[in-house]
């Protein structure tokens, strides 16, 4: 029998989503499920999300599914509650100056932190072409140990920061990238960006003040991503992919999902 990559036991493996299906909010301009934006591959058509059959057994998928459920519940458009947060102005992550910051009501930082780590860990262990942009290296084993911990923990080495982009709806897996001098792994879905610090550098101001932490509100910095160099690069890449390969909804896909 195959080996589950989380529990390391011989188990029957199941279809495990990389980003949970309930988090998808497909944009009609970019009707894509997951985009490995730096991979150069054709974007993948999917209405049910991208999954891998070679990562998790049912028991471990259910364990991570509890994290998925919390994220899906908190960020569902009909349940999402944002409140303007009282934090310092002029944080460096917005190149245009100070940015509006929200707190996400009802969100539990411990669960959300492990949820974000689980998405990157699943992607790192996936053989799907869309996931090859995620590179965790030696960090994969450390993150695996965190995910195997029954108690919800948040103050670990892999700080997580969330941003809110009201006009940036496409769901995509960015993977390894550099922002504000930090090495991050990132993914976007349902108007939110989730960033995990994946290096040994000290935090910058934004991560120090706004990263997920125990007994702290879950903050989401509002950034007009379409006006930033990074955002323009992403949108340009999506448009080029669409022009080169066509609309994925108009072609049959042999990919799972």
């Amino acid at each position: 029998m195959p080996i589950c990559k989380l529990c390391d036991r011989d188990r029957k493996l199941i279809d495990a989503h990389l980003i949970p299906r309930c988090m998808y909010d497909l944009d009609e301009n970019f009707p894509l499920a997951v985009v490995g934006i730096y991979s150069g591959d054709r974007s993948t058509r999917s209405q049910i999300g991208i999954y891998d059959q070679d990562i998790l057994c049912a028991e471990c998928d259910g364990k991570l599914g509890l994290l998925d459920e919390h994220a899906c519940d908190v960020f569902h458009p009909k349940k999402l509650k944002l409140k303007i947060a009282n934090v310092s102005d002029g944080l460096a992550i917005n190149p245009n100056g100070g940015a509006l910051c929200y707190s996400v009501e009802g969100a539990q930082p411990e669960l959300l932190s492990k949820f974000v780590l689980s998405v990157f860990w699943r992607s790192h262990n996936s053989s799907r072409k869309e996931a090859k942009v995620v590179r965790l290296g030696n960090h994969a084993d450390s993150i695996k140990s965190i995910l195997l911990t029954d108690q919800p923990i948040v103050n670990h080495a892999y700080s997580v920061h969330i941003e809110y982009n009201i006009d940036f709806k496409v769901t995509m897996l960015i993977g390894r990238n550099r922002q504000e001098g930090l090495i991050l792994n990132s993914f976007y879905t349902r108007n939110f960006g989730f960033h995990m610090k994946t290096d040994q550098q000290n935090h910058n101001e934004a991560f120090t003040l706004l990263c997920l932490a125990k007994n702290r509100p879950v903050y989401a910095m509002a950034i007009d991503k379409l006006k930033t160099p990074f955002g323009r690069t992403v949108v340009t890449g999506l448009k080029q992919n669409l022009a080169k390969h066509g609309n994925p909804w108009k072609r049959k896909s042999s990919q799972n999902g």
Side-chain angles (χ1 to χ4, degrees), residues 8-9 27 46 66-67 69 77 90 98 103 105 107 125 146 196 212 253:
D8 294 321
R9 290 182 288 181
D27 186 284
S46 176
L66 296 176
L67 306 175
E69 288 176 9
S103 60
E105 301 298 288
N125 284 282
I146 293 172
M196 181 185 74
L212 298 184
S253 173

Side-chain angles (χ1 to χ4, degrees), residues 38 93 116 120 133-136 139 157-163 173-188 193-204 206-207 211 223 225 230:
Y38 298 136
I93 61 171
V116 173
F120 293 124
V133 293
V134 174
R135 290 176 284 167
L136 299 181
H139 298 287
Y158 304 100
S159 300
V160 173
H161 173 264
I162 299 175
E163 65 176 81
L173 190 62
I174 297 294
R176 194 174 187 270
N177 65 99
R178 182 182 293 273
Q179 294 188 47
E180 294 297 315
L182 298 177
I183 300 299
L184 307 175
N185 273 280
S186 306
F187 72 93
Y188 289 85
F194 300 87
H195 308 285
M196 181 185 74
K197 181 175 173 288
T198 323
D199 64 14
Q200 301 301 319
Q201 296 186 67
N202 293 329
H203 294 88
N204 61 15
F207 268 78
C211 65
I223 299 177
K225 181 62 73 178
F230 177 73

Side-chain angles (χ1 to χ4, degrees), residues 105-160:
E105 301 298 288
Q108 299 181 39
E110 297 93 337
L111 294 179
L112 283 184
S113 177
K114 292 181 72 173
F115 160 71
V116 173
L117 268 62
S118 77
V119 169
F120 293 124
W121 182 85
R122 282 176 275 192
S123 300
H124 171 84
N125 284 282
S126 174
S127 60
R128 298 214 41 151
K129 66 179 184 180
E130 302 89 351
K132 68 183 181 182
V133 293
V134 174
R135 290 176 284 167
L136 299 181
N138 295 333
H139 298 287
D141 288 338
S142 298
I143 291 173
K144 175 181 176 178
S145 296
I146 293 172
L147 296 177
L148 287 170
T149 303
D150 290 331
Q151 296 300 318
I153 58 176
V154 72
N155 296 326
H156 47 68
Y158 304 100
S159 300
V160 173

